[in-house]
Amino acid sequence: MSDKAWFRHYPLEVPHTYGYPKHNLAQLLVDSATAYPDHTAIYFLRKKVSYKTLLDSSYRFANALLALGIHKGDRVAVMLPNCPQAVIAYFGTLMIGGIVVMTNPLYMPRELEYQLKDSGAKVIVTLDLLFERVHKVLDKTDVKQMIVTSIKDYLPFPESILYPLKAKKDGIKRDVFYGSDVLSFMKLLKESHALPCSAAIDAENDLALIQYTGGTTGQPKGVMLTHYNLVANTIQSKLWCYRSHITKEKYLAVLPFFHVFGLTVLLNQSIYMAGTLILIPRFEITKVLQTISKQKPTIFPGAPTMYISLIHHPDLHKYDLSSIDFCISGAASLPLEVQERFESITGGKLIEGYGLTEASPITHANNIWDKRKSGSIGIPFPDTDCRINNFETGEELPLGSIGELAVRGPQVMKGYWNLPDETAKIFKDGWLYTGDLGKMDEEGFFYILDRRKDLIIAGGYNIYPREVEEVLFEHPDIKEAVVAGVVDPYRGETVKAFIVLNEGAVTNEAELKLWCKERLAVYKVPRIYEFRDSLPKTIIGKVLRRKLLEEDAEKMNKE
């Protein structure tokens, strides 16, 4: 792999290869807490938790699980927002060799039931606010115990007293009926002991995490990630961020930990670096700006929509964002205009990376302080090999050709949980086939054009939504834009643009069509424009193109 073109653009500080330790993922916490016990590991709504306290609590949780009969290989679902309890439950489960199943707190009973049944989870850790929703499905699953906590459990005084009063006033249900199958998180910690415990594991084969994919096609699949996969990707990320310093970094944790991007670049990364995690349970742009201004985070990984919200905030000038050193954007393509605006406002770097759940998740990133290319996902991480393949034959294509991106490396998953046939479809000769249309240039920089299924074929022409979206984003009146192919009786498909305008903007369809005609081949220019107040998104801000198309199809059927 040493002859690969991308190595010419590696900073001198980044090695091409590295010896990743083969140990329990929870060792990251043990090492940092041993070296820096009094350093702040977590900052949560004014409450500080030291590394020593975090390790102590994680051991207590681990021993509590053992007392409940949970052992190596058992699955533990963690259905929590970003809060200290999520971190404790995560590391406590890993310590005993348990397998964590990160679960979205927004799941409705049907979605939750599927995930709990499919994973075979025996325990779920959740919030009092979610008690009723979770309790509804327990008798249909293998879950034996529900461990319940509350946001107030880690709030400082007087917020811990005021929180229940406000919840009651707002009509928020927090009633929990404790019993043999419903246990208090805080009581378990208090009654358990903090003796160190660490199960013997085979890091390359034993699972640390079953992470469910978004399910954009059919039912969500459980991605099996080993301790080695996640340790490797955490260290690969650290090697890339070579100017980061142990104990000096503050990570703005607004990306949810129940998404693998947030789990690796925030939770695992910060703990590995003995950094401070500034936890924000929910993305609210004003709260984010206030937190940056007051707490001075240095690293802010996110999704493009987060940065878009930030640069368009009406009171942006009131906040000091100069502490931000760099941000890695993932989950969707990063428009050049957003990158440039963000960098001019903060003085920090905003780079685009690429990954997928099946790769823990990061495989590529642009250089932070060295050569980068706008519109590119950058170059492969250390020990990560990549190529562009022919969709039909699987053969590697010549330089500059468009085909399917395939990757391999220490961060690539073991397979899909209980789905050997699906695993066989995505793995070929040791390569993970991503399903993404991409190309590589002569310098080894990679470009993602779109998901293979999002390719628009109009009148025989291949049209890549990302290319059209970039042009729309350049228009000064456009805040957000997404492009999709809709049914056309003549062309097969035609290009439709879904647009969110900046506040007060008055542009119209004719003006946007002219704008695109001046910048795109005629067959790529959107024929249909829909102006909307907002776009449907996932919890981390990825626009749901599929949802827009479903809504569009419904409208057509009614007509």
Side-chain angles (χ1 to χ4, degrees):
M1 209 164 72
S2 59
D3 60 338
K4 299 295 183 180
W6 54 81
F7 284 135
R8 295 199 297 272
H9 301 288
Y10 263 44
L12 291 174
E13 296 87 346
V14 180
H16 297 183
T17 189
Y18 189 85
Y20 308 99
K22 295 174 183 177
H23 58 47
N24 192 313
L25 179 58
Q27 192 65 37
L28 302 184
L29 173 59
V30 176
D31 290 346
S32 290
T34 302
Y36 309 100
D38 299 322
H39 189 63
T40 300
I42 292 171
Y43 178 92
F44 178 66
L45 305 175
R46 290 201 314 109
K47 173 87 169 184
K48 292 180 180 179
V49 179
S50 71
Y51 270 92
K52 181 180 185 302
T53 300
L54 179 58
L55 180 61
D56 178 275
S57 298
S58 300
Y59 280 143
R60 287 177 183 276
F61 188 82
N63 286 306
L65 288 180
L66 290 173
L68 292 173
I70 304 301
H71 298 288
K72 181 182 172 182
D74 288 338
R75 276 77 68 203
V76 175
V78 179
M79 188 178 183
L80 294 170
N82 288 5
C83 59
Q85 300 95 309
V87 181
I88 292 163
Y90 174 70
F91 282 112
T93 301
L94 294 171
M95 283 168 173
I96 63 165
I99 302 169
V100 179
V101 182
M102 283 295 196
T103 304
N104 190 335
L106 297 181
Y107 273 176
M108 289 295 108
R110 181 184 60 82
E111 298 163 305
L112 178 60
E113 180 186 335
Y114 170 79
Q115 188 166 306
L116 293 177
K117 282 169 78 170
D118 188 68
S119 65
K122 289 189 175 180
V123 171
I124 184 167
V125 188
T126 192
L127 281 180
D128 51 2
L129 302 175
L130 306 175
F131 173 78
E132 196 173 297
R133 199 189 313 164
V134 176
H135 204 261
K136 270 182 190 172
V137 305
L138 288 197
D139 60 352
K140 301 171 187 171
T141 72
D142 294 331
V143 174
K144 300 290 186 284
Q145 278 103 10
M146 189 195 314
I147 300 173
V148 184
T149 187
S150 173
I151 291 292
K152 80 171 182 62
D153 291 340
Y154 277 85
L155 289 179
F157 180 83
E159 286 92 331
S160 56
I161 304 298
L162 297 174
Y163 175 82
L165 299 175
K166 188 178 186 308
K168 191 172 183 180
K169 184 183 173 187
D170 294 345
I172 297 170
K173 290 191 73 174
R174 297 179 54 252
D175 300 330
V176 179
F177 303 102
Y178 292 101
S180 59
D181 60 342
V182 180
L183 308 166
S184 160
F185 182 93
M186 298 306 285
K187 193 177 177 192
L188 274 180
L189 291 194
K190 190 177 178 183
E191 293 177 354
S192 186
H193 54 79
L195 291 175
C197 56
S198 183
I201 60 148
D202 174 354
E204 291 178 284
N205 291 297
D206 288 343
L207 303 187
L209 189 71
I210 297 176
Q211 185 73 31
Y212 281 80
T213 60
T216 50
T217 53
Q219 290 280 27
K221 297 187 281 284
V223 172
M224 298 189 291
L225 297 174
T226 66
H227 289 263
Y228 185 66
N229 289 153
L230 290 159
V231 168
N233 206 222
T234 300
I235 295 174
Q236 287 170 318
S237 303
K238 156 63 175 75
L239 295 173
W240 208 249
C241 307
Y242 57 86
R243 289 189 189 171
S244 297
H245 298 290
I246 302 287
T247 72
K248 302 299 183 189
E249 308 305 335
K250 292 182 178 181
Y251 295 77
L252 188 69
V254 67
L255 276 173
F257 296 153
F258 53 81
H259 189 282
V260 71
F261 183 30
L263 195 74
T264 295
V265 301
L266 284 167
L267 179 49
N268 293 343
Q269 182 77 12
S270 182
I271 297 299
Y272 177 60
M273 291 292 292
T276 298
L277 278 166
I278 302 169
L279 302 184
I280 298 182
R282 189 174 58 177
F283 180 75
E284 294 170 318
I285 186 56
T286 301
K287 178 71 178 170
V288 168
L289 287 168
Q290 289 170 345
T291 304
I292 295 173
S293 195
K294 289 178 184 175
Q295 298 306 319
K296 311 294 184 192
T298 56
I299 299 170
F300 171 23
T305 49
M306 293 178 181
Y307 307 121
I308 291 166
S309 298
L310 186 147
I311 64 178
H312 289 291
H313 194 279
D315 296 325
L316 183 62
H317 61 282
K318 294 180 182 177
Y319 301 99
D320 176 10
L321 310 182
S322 61
S323 66
I324 302 291
D325 286 336
F326 67 86
C327 307
I328 297 178
S329 176
S333 58
L334 177 69
L336 176 59
E337 188 234 350
V338 175
Q339 181 184 44
E340 290 177 342
R341 269 286 303 279
F342 182 89
E343 292 191 341
S344 69
I345 289 164
T346 64
K349 299 288 188 182
L350 173 57
I351 59 145
E352 182 168 358
Y354 168 85
L356 62 166
T357 305
E358 290 86 347
S360 302
I362 310 173
T363 60
H364 296 68
N366 268 282
N367 285 313
I368 303 171
W369 301 286
D370 290 84
K371 181 167 182 168
R372 65 185 188 184
K373 293 191 179 184
S374 296
S376 161
I377 58 169
I379 54 181
F381 264 8
D383 295 296
T384 305
D385 201 3
C386 305
R387 67 185 199 184
I388 302 295
N389 291 334
N390 181 298
F391 270 114
E392 306 305 325
T393 66
E395 290 178 298
E396 187 171 4
L397 291 170
L399 194 67
S401 303
I402 294 170
E404 182 173 11
L405 174 65
V407 300
R408 64 183 177 189
Q411 72 273 52
V412 171
M413 70 168 182
K414 192 174 180 181
Y416 291 121
W417 178 254
N418 290 334
L419 293 171
D421 292 345
E422 292 294 321
T423 301
K425 282 180 196 171
I426 200 171
F427 274 116
K428 293 167 191 171
D429 301 322
W431 290 89
L432 173 71
Y433 281 54
T434 67
D436 283 325
L437 286 163
K439 64 179 182 178
M440 184 184 85
D441 68 17
E442 68 284 350
E443 294 188 287
F445 281 77
F446 283 77
Y447 299 78
I448 294 297
L449 301 165
D450 271 294
R451 291 291 295 170
R452 183 181 179 184
K453 61 185 173 50
D454 291 333
L455 175 70
I456 302 166
I457 303 176
Y461 289 104
N462 287 356
I463 302 166
Y464 304 102
R466 174 170 180 164
E467 184 184 1
V468 184
E469 288 163 3
E470 283 282 355
V471 167
L472 288 167
F473 259 108
E474 289 170 12
H475 193 284
D477 287 344
I478 289 179
K479 182 179 178 182
E480 293 184 86
V482 67
V483 165
V486 295
V487 176
D488 181 275
Y490 175 66
R491 301 173 84 208
E493 282 186 299
T494 198
V495 184
K496 178 170 180 177
F498 300 86
I499 307 288
V500 178
L501 295 176
N502 288 320
E503 199 170 330
V506 290
T507 192
N508 56 37
E509 182 173 326
E511 188 183 315
L512 289 181
K513 199 169 279 190
L514 182 61
W515 174 272
C516 291
K517 277 183 177 177
E518 291 171 351
R519 294 162 174 81
L520 291 166
V522 66
Y523 67 88
K524 299 177 185 176
V525 174
R527 302 284 181 94
I528 309 166
Y529 297 79
E530 183 179 317
F531 295 91
R532 301 170 59 104
D533 294 329
S534 64
L535 299 172
K537 300 182 181 85
T538 66
I539 189 74
I540 66 159
K542 184 188 286 188
V543 175
L544 291 166
R545 191 181 268 116
R546 175 175 52 89
K547 178 87 169 145
L548 288 168
L549 290 172
E550 286 170 1
E551 290 175 10
D552 203 69
E554 279 178 32
K555 280 185 206 166
M556 294 289 287
N557 290 335
K558 284 176 185 173
E559 293 169 4

